[in-house]
Amino acid sequence: MDSVAERYPDKGLDLSTGSKEADHHSGTRLKQKNLIFSLADEQYGIPLSSVKEVIGMVKVTPIPHMPCFFKGLINLRGKIISVIDLRLKLGLEEKAYEPKKTAIIISDVNSLTVGTIVDDVNEVVGFTDEQIETKLEISSSIKREYIHGVAKADDNSLVLLLDILNVLEPEDLDLISKQVSAQPTSGGADFDI
């Protein structure tokens, strides 16, 4: 499928992790680069170091008797990957997928590779320590342990920084791991990417 760089050539997304580099404006050090994406008109970020790649929305093979946020499996170049809908996992309203916007972020979570469906992938941004607030009093429908902090972007917008390792709880990971190991390694033609 087409990559984010192919879908958004004007944004020039750089998925290289380069986690520590100098900010050319102020001489301060960037804490970490984050992949910024949209869910329900809000901006979220996850550490770029946990992102393997971003792909466009593809056909997901559903698995019966699973939680509603678990959408199923994809075969990405011969590797079976579990896919979750981050909107549903975070308790947000379900939304139809948009072919040119909806993306799947492929990440490593513990020892498992997981695909996470998001509304849109926006950009890669590095935040300084001064831009990130981690001591938060949050009253939100999203569990507090899912949010590592809030970053103040250069345009004064706020980006919720997700702790992707906490979003998938141990029971979820165990369930997903069992489903992946139960699947054959060679998929049918409609199951391959």
Side-chain angles (χ1 to χ4, degrees), residues 158-189:
L158 297 179
V159 177
L160 292 173
L161 301 176
L162 291 181
D163 185 338
I164 197 70
L165 297 178
N166 283 339
V167 170
L168 288 175
E169 292 145 9
E171 306 83 45
D172 297 336
L173 291 172
D174 186 49
L175 188 63
I176 289 169
S177 180
K178 286 178 182 172
Q179 289 303 316
V180 170
S181 62
Q183 300 304 312
T185 55
S186 61

Side-chain angles (χ1 to χ4, degrees), residues 38-41 71 85 87-88 92-98 101-102 117-120:
S38 302
L39 281 177
D41 298 323
K71 289 304 184 183
D85 187 317
R87 269 179 167 268
L88 299 179
L92 302 172
E93 186 177 317
E94 190 167 10
K95 177 185 172 188
Y97 302 136
E98 296 180 42
K101 291 180 84 176
T102 304
I117 300 171
V118 298
D119 293 351
D120 197 2

Side-chain angles (χ1 to χ4, degrees), residues 15 41 68 77 99 105 125 127 138 141 151 172 175 184:
L15 292 180
D41 298 323
C68 66
R77 295 183 295 279
I105 301 171
V125 176
F127 296 114
I138 297 176
S141 62
D172 297 336
L175 188 63

Side-chain angles (χ1 to χ4, degrees), residues 85-129:
D85 187 317
L86 194 54
R87 269 179 167 268
L88 299 179
K89 178 59 183 168
L90 296 178
L92 302 172
E93 186 177 317
E94 190 167 10
K95 177 185 172 188
Y97 302 136
E98 296 180 42
K100 294 292 183 187
K101 291 180 84 176
T102 304
I104 301 175
I105 301 171
I106 308 296
S107 307
D108 284 327
V109 180
N110 294 334
S111 60
L112 198 60
T113 302
V114 177
T116 306
I117 300 171
V118 298
D119 293 351
D120 197 2
V121 173
N122 303 330
E123 60 187 333
V124 174
V125 176
F127 296 114
T128 63
D129 290 332

Side-chain angles (χ1 to χ4, degrees), residues 30-94:
L30 293 181
K31 181 173 181 170
Q32 183 172 358
K33 285 187 176 182
N34 287 270
L35 180 65
I36 309 301
F37 58 88
S38 302
L39 281 177
D41 298 323
E42 296 295 331
Q43 301 293 308
Y44 293 84
I46 58 171
L48 192 58
S49 58
S50 67
V51 177
K52 294 182 75 165
E53 68 181 291
V54 179
I55 62 173
M57 190 63 196
V58 296
K59 181 182 183 304
V60 178
T61 301
I63 303 294
H65 311 295
M66 295 295 284
C68 66
F69 67 85
F70 183 84
K71 289 304 184 183
L73 304 170
I74 61 173
N75 182 340
L76 183 61
R77 295 183 295 279
K79 183 169 181 166
I80 305 300
I81 297 174
S82 299
V83 177
I84 66 162
D85 187 317
L86 194 54
R87 269 179 167 268
L88 299 179
K89 178 59 183 168
L90 296 178
L92 302 172
E93 186 177 317
E94 190 167 10

